Amino acid sequence: YDHHPSRRFDLDVHVHPSVSRNLSGAGLSPITERNGNRRGGSSSVFGSAATANTDNGHDGYEHDNVAVEVSYLDGAERKGNDDNGGMETEKEGDDDNGDGDKMEVEDMPEREDSVMDEDKEDDTSSPISKKTKTMDIDDVNEATSPTRDVAIEVVDDSTDAVTPLITRRASKSLMSAGDSRHDHLSGSLHPSPRQASFQGTATTAANEKCILYSWGRGVQTLHDDGDDRFPSPLLEKESLPQQKEEVLKQLFQVSSRIGSKSILAVSTGAHHSACATSQGALYVVGTNVRGCVDPDSPEEEICSRPRLLESIGQIKVVQVACGYDHTAALSSNGSVLTWGSNEMGQLGHRRGGPSCDSKESLASFQGPTHCRPTGMLLGKGRRASAIACGNRFTLVLTTRMCLLACGTPSIAGYRDASSWGSAQELPSLVGLPLMQLSAGGHHAAVVTAHGTALVWGKNETGCCGREYPKELAVPVPVKIPSENQSASSPANLPFTDWAIWNNKDGLVAKMSDDVAIQDVACGAEHTILVTRSGRLLVCGSNQRGQLGADVSKVPTATTVVPVHHPSGGRFVSAEAGNAHSLLLDNYGDVWLTSSNGLQLVVKGHSVLAIAAGGDDNSVVIAPASTGGLSLTRQFSVEKEDDGMDIVDSVENLLQEISSNGANKQYACNEIAKRTEELLKYPSVLNSVFLDPRELEYMFDRLSNVGDGEVKQNIASAIERGLKIGLECLRGDDTRLMHPEAVRCLLLYIKFFDVCRDDGIVFDMRGECISLFCDVILSVPFEGHKALHGWALNLYPREIFAKMLVQPLLRALNECLKFSVDENQVSHFQPSRQAVPVIVAVISWLHTIAEESNLASPTDFYSDGVSQI
């Protein structure tokens, strides 16, 4: 992938049960040889593949007739609709010169169905083995496009079946850490955390069937018969479990066009619904309000049956979100397509916005409607990992844990005409390691990697977890009542819901499971929170029982109140519509809110995912067989590693170097690249190193790796990463006031401890240290208080001076160095201008040290100051 001969391509190969599982040895080795030596006569980018050896005795393994085919997915594709509305794709390209889109398979029998039609995915009835094999493909042609996707097909000649499989792109997969919950009023399909991951896993074959249940308002939902379906009164009439099951199957199971698909993502809203299949095709249904269903169709046209949206072309969709009158789709390459109404700029593209010199009021300006699918402007280098749509706004979570918003000013922020309609980062959320997001009617919520929920927007019913004010212009943390106060020993941190905990290596800061949020769902006027311990917490309006509590007892909750599981289980995820909520528990059962409390609607089906939105619209995805996983995709997505992935990869590369592993130079270059990547994204850095000793250990190993050239490369990477990361935190409107946003400033200090011996050049002009001190001294009061709390509680005496004081003293001494020439003229370092701000930061740390005796006065001694 990086044009390096040692780069690994890890391909997950799934084997039909009738085929022998032992594919190592001759079964897979004919695919490629190392160092670019190809087999056979067919020329391709990865070399030629061959059928497995059928001689059952020559190498001690058993083999059946199995061919492995590698093909690219980014070539020109021809699509055509079959009788069932499926989309058939065919690849085009010149396979003779190695640049074609499809790789020839040596001795492979000709097949007309080598690329499987969506509707033909139902034809193979046999289950697919969940066992996987990993094979390395080292034969990488220099001309290989780094953005091409790779797909694998296993052809079983004994059964005449073709099974498209899932592969991961060689570098990365689209979803970043957490693969979190996504959107809620828009009713995105919401997987259970019991699954390996959302957006498809590579452990189940794509033709594993699932059962789709749908109910709600007529044509707005996926059951495509135009009838309103409501489970509550129907199921209450049936007393026996088998009778309830029969009612559920007959009235709510979708058996039409969508019911035959393998579903990857679903969203349902006020006027329409949409779903993405495991092959990336997008189907839409509902009333075409301002073009939210299909902008090429007439206004208010009713699409009564799910229709393939052809205007997005060959783009593979991994997630979809439905707003009030607009729709957003997340593609496999991390871009976001939006269409429908852009009256409030909710589509995220500037088209049709007010002119910068116009005197027209932004409050009264309305953008165009019936906008065709167009990519949102996310900014250079940004790629999306999750999306959510509210009534008139859109939220985008990037792979680097920052939130972009556009649309309603109370959510996306008030801005001038020049930035109207563009997705921008909220200044008050800069630096927070965001993992999940949810969009309600007029309010929104995000959840950090550590479990803090922040809510903002309209708060007329207390849906933001507080009674006043009635509108929150900036995200504020939700106060979560704890069930286990004693568990916060030995010490509480000076900010909400955090505590110091004992672990095997010492003390670490984290939130307890009974207050750490793992899921959030926003409705029209209510909010649902689920903690890691399975508690259900609710706030907002309960007029129709949407909170899951008895209406007569809790008409409205202006603060967060708990709702207990009726059977004593644990909730794992939640979804919310306008005035109803759908809950999934650890048994795989689904609960629906009602005026009398929680009602069990689907039991014993090991449900995988739920979705809710609009007026009573709900979708439930369950596997056809017990234990099956059906949220799988048949196309590759590109992944960007999260903070833990980056740290782990650096540790693994350091270990490889220390053990004299092969290709040491490559490992050293990769270490420098990963270290820079970690530092230039404050949000990512804030998601790791809750125990500062982990950073100390990693930095000490970084400082001792390789020769002078390697150390210089790492020092230069650290300098570049620091500059970019600190510039992100120094924005004009940035307010670092949340504890989880400022913690990275203390982590950055250690990286100024780079050794300058042996000619290592680092921050010669003092730009990095000046920028750092500038940021830390301009932090507002709330952020300064949080920094004080982190430094006081996370850095005990044995590491306080080593990690917070000594690196700054080293930088101070470097800035104070000077030389005297033969004319007795003193020449000072260009970085000398940074001395005053460095001294100011050290003085602040000295105050903290004196407060709790964390360092001795000699720890602050500076040789450079003594020489003045």
Side-chain angles (χ1 to χ4, degrees):
Y1 182 82
D2 287 335
H3 302 164
H4 198 281
S6 69
R7 188 69 175 183
R8 288 169 56 93
F9 281 71
D10 295 330
L11 307 177
D12 291 331
V13 178
H14 308 269
V15 189
H16 196 281
S18 63
V19 180
S20 174
R21 305 269 164 68
N22 296 317
L23 291 182
S24 56
L28 286 179
S29 60
I31 293 177
T32 183
E33 288 186 327
R34 296 182 183 273
N35 303 323
N37 298 324
R38 305 171 187 275
R39 294 189 180 190
S42 69
S43 175
S44 70
V45 176
F46 283 155
S48 58
T51 56
N53 194 321
T54 58
D55 185 354
N56 291 333
H58 85 287
D59 60 355
Y61 289 96
E62 274 189 26
H63 299 284
D64 291 326
N65 289 335
V66 177
V68 177
E69 178 182 32
V70 178
S71 61
Y72 286 121
L73 294 179
D74 67 343
E77 297 181 349
R78 298 189 300 270
K79 65 178 181 179
N81 295 334
D82 59 15
D83 296 335
N84 292 326
M87 184 174 68
E88 182 175 354
T89 60
E90 297 178 2
K91 310 291 185 290
E92 294 178 349
D94 184 3
D95 294 326
D96 295 329
N97 57 13
D99 295 327
D101 294 310
K102 191 169 184 178
M103 175 177 170
E104 291 289 333
V105 180
E106 181 179 313
D107 300 330
M108 185 174 179
E110 295 184 1
R111 307 187 59 86
E112 296 179 356
D113 54 349
S114 61
V115 177
M116 189 167 120
D117 186 289
E118 263 194 357
D119 289 317
K120 292 181 182 178
E121 67 190 20
D122 301 340
D123 294 342
T124 304
S125 57
S126 300
I128 299 299
S129 170
K130 297 179 183 177
K131 293 190 176 182
T132 64
K133 294 284 183 180
T134 301
M135 67 179 170
D136 297 340
I137 298 181
D138 294 326
D139 182 17
V140 184
N141 189 294
E142 289 285 350
T144 304
S145 167
T147 60
R148 283 179 166 175
D149 297 341
V150 182
I152 301 295
E153 293 178 351
V154 171
V155 182
D156 180 3
D157 290 331
S158 63
T159 61
D160 234 16
V162 180
T163 306
L165 300 178
I166 307 161
T167 69
R168 296 173 298 192
R169 188 172 296 181
S171 64
K172 308 163 177 187
S173 135
L174 177 66
M175 292 295 112
S176 66
D179 281 336
S180 46
R181 309 294 77 82
H182 300 301
D183 66 43
H184 298 279
L185 184 75
S186 57
S188 267
L189 175 143
H190 192 146
S192 163
R194 297 177 294 116
Q195 278 186 249
S197 72
F198 180 46
Q199 307 304 353
T201 63
T203 57
T204 303
N207 63 352
E208 177 76 25
K209 288 298 168 287
C210 62
I211 300 174
L212 183 68
Y213 298 106
S214 172
W215 63 85
R217 302 284 181 180
V219 296
Q220 300 170 6
T221 50
L222 296 173
H223 44 262
D224 74 14
D225 55 12
D227 296 334
D228 293 347
R229 301 178 178 182
F230 303 103
S232 300
L234 291 170
L235 295 187
E236 286 171 356
K237 294 177 182 179
E238 307 296 339
S239 57
L240 299 178
Q242 56 268 31
Q243 292 176 319
K244 289 187 178 182
E245 178 64 28
E246 190 63 28
V247 170
L248 186 67
K249 181 177 180 180
Q250 291 182 0
L251 297 181
F252 308 118
Q253 182 174 337
V254 178
S255 58
S256 59
R257 178 182 302 175
I258 295 301
S260 64
K261 304 294 180 185
S262 184
I263 302 299
L264 177 63
V266 175
S267 180
T268 178
H271 297 115
H272 66 301
S273 299
C275 72
T277 70
S278 60
Q279 290 187 339
L282 183 64
Y283 288 82
V284 290
V285 65
T287 305
N288 195 36
V289 177
R290 301 182 181 92
C292 62
V293 175
D294 187 347
D296 294 330
S297 299
E299 173 70 15
E300 300 286 349
E301 180 185 69
I302 295 177
C303 177
S304 59
R305 300 191 65 196
R307 171 194 305 172
L308 179 66
L309 187 65
E310 298 182 349
S311 56
I312 64 173
Q314 303 303 316
I315 292 174
K316 307 294 184 183
V317 176
V318 297
Q319 190 202 342
V320 63
C322 297
Y324 181 81
D325 54 7
H326 73 291
T327 311
L330 174 61
S331 73
S332 59
N333 64 3
S335 62
V336 179
L337 297 177
T338 53
W339 63 93
S341 173
N342 197 34
E343 290 182 334
M344 299 292 292
Q346 62 263 46
L347 298 188
H349 32 87
R350 182 77 171 81
R351 185 178 304 168
S355 59
C356 296
D357 56 354
S358 174
K359 296 182 179 180
E360 185 176 11
S361 172
L362 282 175
S364 60
F365 179 83
Q366 289 188 345
T369 61
H370 282 265
C371 299
R372 290 179 56 81
T374 306
M376 291 182 68
L377 303 176
L378 303 181
K380 183 179 179 180
R382 284 175 172 164
R383 296 173 51 230
S385 64
I387 55 176
C389 290
N391 276 4
R392 298 289 177 85
F393 63 92
T394 303
L395 305 178
V396 176
L397 184 64
T398 72
T399 55
R400 292 310 178 199
M401 296 182 162
C402 73
L403 183 78
L404 306 177
C406 57
T408 307
S410 60
I411 301 295
Y414 295 88
R415 54 187 71 174
D416 56 24
S418 62
S419 58
W420 185 93
S422 60
Q424 293 187 346
E425 190 171 3
L426 297 182
S428 58
L429 293 179
V430 171
L432 284 174
L434 303 178
M435 289 288 292
Q436 302 173 25
L437 73 165
S438 174
H442 302 283
H443 72 292
V446 291
V447 179
T448 69
H450 307 302
T452 300
L454 300 101
V455 188
W456 75 105
K458 287 192 176 181
N459 187 41
E460 295 176 354
T461 60
C463 58
C464 293
R466 61 189 66 208
E467 187 173 2
Y468 298 104
K470 295 302 181 182
E471 181 175 321
L472 296 171
V474 296
V476 295
V478 179
K479 173 65 177 178
I480 308 297
S482 176
E483 282 187 332
N484 188 8
Q485 297 292 345
S486 62
S488 297
S489 62
N492 288 327
L493 286 168
F495 24 85
T496 306
D497 299 330
W498 280 78
I500 301 292
W501 296 74
N502 277 309
N503 66 4
K504 60 181 180 179
D505 299 319
L507 301 180
V508 64
K510 68 173 187 176
M511 303 177 70
S512 62
D513 288 345
D514 67 321
V515 296
I517 303 301
Q518 77 169 10
D519 192 26
V520 61
C522 296
E525 295 180 331
H526 71 289
T527 304
I528 307 291
L529 303 162
V530 179
T531 69
R532 292 174 185 166
S533 64
R535 297 173 66 202
L536 184 66
L537 305 169
V538 298
C539 58
S541 173
N542 194 37
Q543 286 186 342
R544 293 176 55 186
Q546 56 262 50
L547 298 184
D550 193 323
V551 174
S552 61
K553 297 179 181 179
V554 186
T556 301
T558 55
T559 58
V560 172
V561 297
V563 174
H564 300 288
H565 193 291
S567 302
R570 295 184 298 106
F571 292 105
V572 295
S573 63
E575 281 286 330
N578 285 344
H580 74 292
S581 303
L582 210 58
L583 307 168
L584 180 63
D585 67 14
N586 59 316
Y587 303 116
D589 298 337
V590 178
W591 298 79
L592 180 67
T593 57
S594 68
S595 57
N596 297 322
L598 295 176
Q599 179 181 11
L600 183 62
V601 291
V602 179
K603 182 179 180 180
H605 284 270
S606 300
V607 169
L608 299 172
I610 56 176
D615 294 328
D616 301 311
N617 298 338
S618 302
V619 179
V620 173
I621 309 291
S625 57
T626 304
L629 294 176
S630 52
L631 297 183
T632 56
R633 48 177 166 76
Q634 301 177 47
F635 53 93
S636 60
V637 297
E638 194 169 353
K639 179 194 175 191
E640 291 188 12
D641 293 340
D642 61 16
M644 285 307 303
D645 290 335
I646 295 174
V647 173
D648 289 343
S649 65
V650 171
E651 293 286 354
N652 293 335
L653 290 167
L654 288 170
Q655 183 64 34
E656 181 180 341
I657 293 175
S658 64
S659 61
N660 296 320
N663 211 334
K664 183 176 179 180
Q665 184 61 41
Y666 170 77
C668 292
N669 292 336
E670 194 70 11
I671 287 174
K673 176 182 175 182
R674 290 304 185 109
T675 304
E676 178 182 350
E677 193 173 6
L678 181 65
L679 294 176
K680 70 181 183 180
Y681 298 108
S683 298
V684 176
L685 185 59
N686 275 321
S687 68
V688 293
F689 299 128
L690 281 172
D691 185 354
R693 295 177 184 84
E694 297 174 355
L695 173 60
E696 180 188 20
Y697 175 73
M698 189 188 82
F699 184 83
D700 289 345
R701 296 185 67 189
L702 278 176
S703 302
N704 298 314
V705 65
D707 53 17
E709 182 181 356
V710 172
K711 291 180 179 179
Q712 181 61 66
N713 288 341
I714 294 177
S716 300
I718 291 175
E719 182 176 352
R720 291 192 300 269
L722 285 172
K723 284 182 180 179
I724 297 174
L726 292 169
E727 284 290 353
C728 294
L729 299 176
R730 200 180 63 163
D732 295 336
D733 300 325
T734 302
R735 285 187 57 82
L736 298 175
M737 58 184 181
H738 297 295
E740 292 174 64
V742 300
R743 191 173 60 87
C744 63
L745 293 175
L746 299 179
L747 299 176
Y748 277 138
I749 293 178
K750 184 61 180 175
F751 289 93
F752 288 101
D753 207 13
V754 173
C755 181
R756 276 80 161 183
D757 298 339
D758 302 324
I760 303 299
V761 177
F762 177 76
D763 196 24
M764 283 292 293
R765 303 184 61 85
E767 294 175 351
C768 284
I769 189 64
S770 296
L771 184 57
F772 167 77
C773 295
D774 230 11
V775 172
I776 202 170
L777 294 175
S778 61
V779 167
F781 171 77
E782 302 93 336
H784 180 79
K785 182 181 177 181
L787 276 174
H788 188 277
W790 288 123
L792 202 62
N793 291 277
L794 288 190
Y795 294 82
R797 184 180 178 88
E798 59 267 22
I799 65 171
F800 184 89
K802 186 176 181 181
M803 295 200 65
L804 299 182
V805 180
Q806 291 179 9
L808 294 179
L809 288 177
R810 183 190 289 270
L812 177 63
N813 291 334
E814 290 293 329
C815 293
L816 289 173
K817 284 183 177 180
F818 65 94
S819 59
V820 181
D821 61 17
E822 65 274 10
N823 297 321
Q824 300 302 309
V825 177
S826 298
H827 298 275
F828 299 98
Q829 296 287 342
S831 58
R832 192 179 182 88
Q833 58 184 351
V835 169
V837 288
I838 298 175
V839 171
V841 175
I842 294 177
S843 176
W844 169 68
L845 290 172
H846 182 264
T847 303
I848 297 176
E850 283 189 323
E851 180 180 336
S852 298
N853 192 26
L854 294 175
S856 64
T858 55
D859 290 328
F860 291 85
Y861 177 81
S862 169
D863 293 331
V865 174
S866 300
Q867 293 175 8
I868 293 180

